[in-house]
Amino acid sequence: MLYLVGLGLADETDITVKGLEVVKTADRVYLEAYTSILLVDKEKLEAYYGRSIILADREMVESSSDEILSSANKCNVAFLVVGDTYGATTHTDLILRARELGIPTQTIFNASIMNSIGATGLQLYNFGQTVSMVFFTDTWKPSSFYDRIKENRQIGLHTLVLLDIKVKEQSLENLTRRRKIFEPPRFMTVAQCAEQMLGTEQERGEGVYGPDSLAVGVARVGAASQKFVAGTLMQLSQADLGKPLHSLVLLGRRAHELERDFIREFAVDTASFDSIWKRDYEGKQ
């Protein structure tokens, strides 16, 4: 049996009782370690779970999945995923490969940023399409996210923006030369995301959002140190929310007054927040 086990968002104690039972009895335990991270290291997980854990990087999961699925029709394999189990297409693909091999599967769910973003006070049914923001380079600045945000904004819905992480990534030079040398981990911040969003708006010029558009930046959701900051994109481009992981929500114009009351507590500046809300959002529901 292949078990996909969601770990939740923060630390070793976020695993469910059902998930922990699977981990303790599985013959092999893998931790998917590149689409997201917990706020604790592998050693802390091993100490809490009482099991040794094999780190599964991008190369193993996407190119060597046979190693993970080996003998899973005769023994139990646990594949641990930060957040919920179906947060990335990689995990769906692993299930499909298991099916092709006749390996039974079971999924144990957990919290993810997709539902925990409700901790901001923004109602989940007011969210549209979720988008991802990657690190821009001098020669690569994809803007497909802009079109999805535009569609959300046209019907007044919020947009959750998931921010890029780079774990065990190779530089173009090392990749070309096939050298197994990896870059230091990088985690996009709310400030970097807001700055890139404003740069894209300036280039596209379609008025989808602007420096005065309200947004909420979040960091380490689910942890004791979680932090929320509400303000304009310009304000968030200068905000420091501390350690990763970060996400951002761009408010839609259908935002309810109860949502306003909740996020106002996180405002960088309540006076400017109130002024922009009254001008751009009040009565637009």
Side-chain angles (χ1 to χ4, degrees), residues 255-284:
H256 192 273
E257 60 183 17
L258 292 178
E259 295 177 291
R260 175 204 61 197
D261 293 345
F262 205 104
I263 64 174
R264 187 178 184 274
E265 294 297 314
F266 315 129
V268 174
D269 177 71
T270 53
S272 65
F273 179 92
D274 290 344
S275 174
I276 293 169
W277 177 274
K278 185 174 183 178
R279 185 190 70 196
D280 297 339
Y281 297 85
E282 193 171 272
K284 303 296 194 299

Side-chain angles (χ1 to χ4, degrees), residues 39-52:
L39 304 182
V40 295
D41 57 25
K42 178 173 77 80
E43 288 69 29
K44 198 157 188 178
L45 295 182
E46 290 177 326
Y48 188 80
Y49 300 159
R51 293 297 311 276
S52 61

Side-chain angles (χ1 to χ4, degrees), residues 142-147 150 199-208:
S143 63
S144 58
F145 74 90
Y146 184 88
D147 300 305
K150 181 178 180 179
T200 300
E201 174 59 61
Q202 190 171 17
E203 290 180 7
R204 296 281 297 264
E206 298 177 32
V208 173

